[in-house]
Amino acid sequence: MILRLLSKFIENSPKSVLILGPRQAGKSTLIKSLNPQLTINLMKEVTYLDFAANPARLEEALLAEKPKTVLIDEIQRLPSLLNTIQVIIDDDPSAPKFFLTGSSARKLKRGSANLLPGRLFTYRLGALCSKELGYEMNSDCLTYGSLPEVYLEKDPSIKEKMLSSYTGTYLKEEIQAEALTKNIEGFARFLFIVASESGRFLDLTKLAHQAKVDRSSAVRWFEILEDTLIIHRIEA
């Protein structure tokens, strides 16, 4: 496993932690390397339905297990759970340290999520960076990016299939399922145009022209890409 730079900050954090990042950036792998005593994966439909149907389920699990560290994966699926976590942290001096992961800031915003100001530290985890790879990034990183699973795969054809599947899942589950746009074909074109312009000066008029969509759509779609953690805007 490749050591992530965030590991030492999270492991030594005096407070609970929320890690935001795109899918397959390695959030769960990072936290699991710290051996949390209780893991709740909300991506599992059975687990999600269990916790969604019973607001007291988390407190019951903590009472039964008495863990010192708790991982709750994909917290954006059930933002209301953050209110319960706040009460637990505020009312119990011996409350466990929570490690929370999320892959959609948009879903947290839409759910009016309580991000526990002052009670947890928020970090962002992206793809592997040059320092994490010992400053030995090769041309494959420029061609295929550096999501951990893609980077570690040696076969170029499999890398391409993984990225194609990643894009298809993103368009289906994050964009189409959430009804963020009716023009999914235009959004798909825009997504690939934005990817090709990575690292350059942002010109939304140019992006809209290349994707053959109007500028107002380009502005809105760019914000969606930011909210779903696919891109990160670097201000001047």
Side-chain angles (χ1 to χ4, degrees):
M1 190 182 84
I2 298 172
L3 181 66
R4 306 305 301 266
L5 296 179
L6 273 181
S7 294
K8 60 181 180 180
F9 296 103
I10 294 169
E11 186 173 13
N12 298 325
S13 173
K15 293 182 178 290
S16 293
V17 171
L18 168 63
I19 303 177
L20 296 173
R23 295 184 180 200
Q24 297 183 24
K27 302 182 297 296
S28 302
T29 301
L30 170 58
I31 298 301
K32 287 176 181 176
S33 71
L34 303 178
N35 300 311
Q37 295 177 359
L38 175 63
T39 297
I40 299 168
N41 186 356
L42 295 176
M43 278 305 292
K44 292 182 178 179
E45 207 62 26
V46 173
T47 303
Y48 166 74
L49 292 173
D50 183 19
F51 278 77
N54 181 7
R57 184 68 182 86
L58 177 59
E59 293 167 293
E60 292 171 358
L62 296 181
L63 189 61
E65 303 279 345
K66 293 182 171 54
K68 292 186 178 179
T69 51
V70 179
L71 163 61
I72 301 181
D73 229 349
E74 303 297 349
I75 190 67
Q76 82 280 348
R77 294 205 73 195
L78 202 57
S80 60
L81 205 55
L82 288 162
N83 293 322
T84 302
I85 294 171
Q86 176 176 330
V87 172
I88 292 170
I89 292 174
D90 288 348
D91 291 353
D92 185 0
S94 62
K97 181 190 291 186
F98 288 92
F99 299 120
L100 313 174
T101 74
S103 58
S104 177
R106 172 170 281 269
K107 288 181 181 177
L108 287 172
K109 288 179 181 178
R110 189 190 62 195
S112 300
N114 172 10
L115 296 182
L116 312 185
R119 295 171 182 83
L120 56 74
F121 293 143
T122 300
Y123 295 98
R124 286 182 177 257
L125 183 70
L128 298 167
C129 69
S130 181
K131 186 174 182 179
E132 290 171 332
L133 297 175
Y135 300 103
E136 295 180 354
M137 300 182 90
N138 53 36
S139 59
D140 275 4
C141 287
L142 295 176
T143 305
Y144 304 107
S146 60
L147 287 172
E149 189 177 1
V150 176
Y151 176 82
L152 293 171
E153 174 56 52
K154 302 301 181 185
D155 188 332
S157 64
I158 295 180
K159 285 178 183 281
E160 291 176 8
K161 288 178 181 177
M162 291 168 71
L163 289 172
S164 178
S165 174
Y166 185 99
T167 306
T169 300
Y170 171 74
L171 289 172
K172 181 179 179 181
E173 295 187 12
E174 294 286 353
I175 306 304
Q176 195 171 35
E178 295 293 317
L180 298 182
T181 178
K182 293 181 180 179
N183 185 4
I184 195 69
E185 294 85 1
F187 185 91
R189 288 198 306 273
F190 182 74
L191 174 61
F192 282 95
I193 293 296
V194 169
S196 69
E197 293 291 312
S198 176
R200 301 180 184 176
F201 287 107
L202 177 61
D203 184 342
L204 287 168
T205 301
K206 175 184 174 184
L207 294 177
H209 177 72
Q210 291 179 329
K212 297 181 174 59
V213 299
D214 57 83
R215 191 181 186 281
S216 61
S217 293
V219 171
R220 183 165 54 87
W221 291 349
F222 194 86
E223 292 174 352
I224 289 173
L225 290 174
E226 288 184 295
D227 284 346
T228 51
L229 309 176
I230 292 296
I231 62 174
H232 177 67
R233 188 194 311 233
I234 300 176
E235 300 291 352

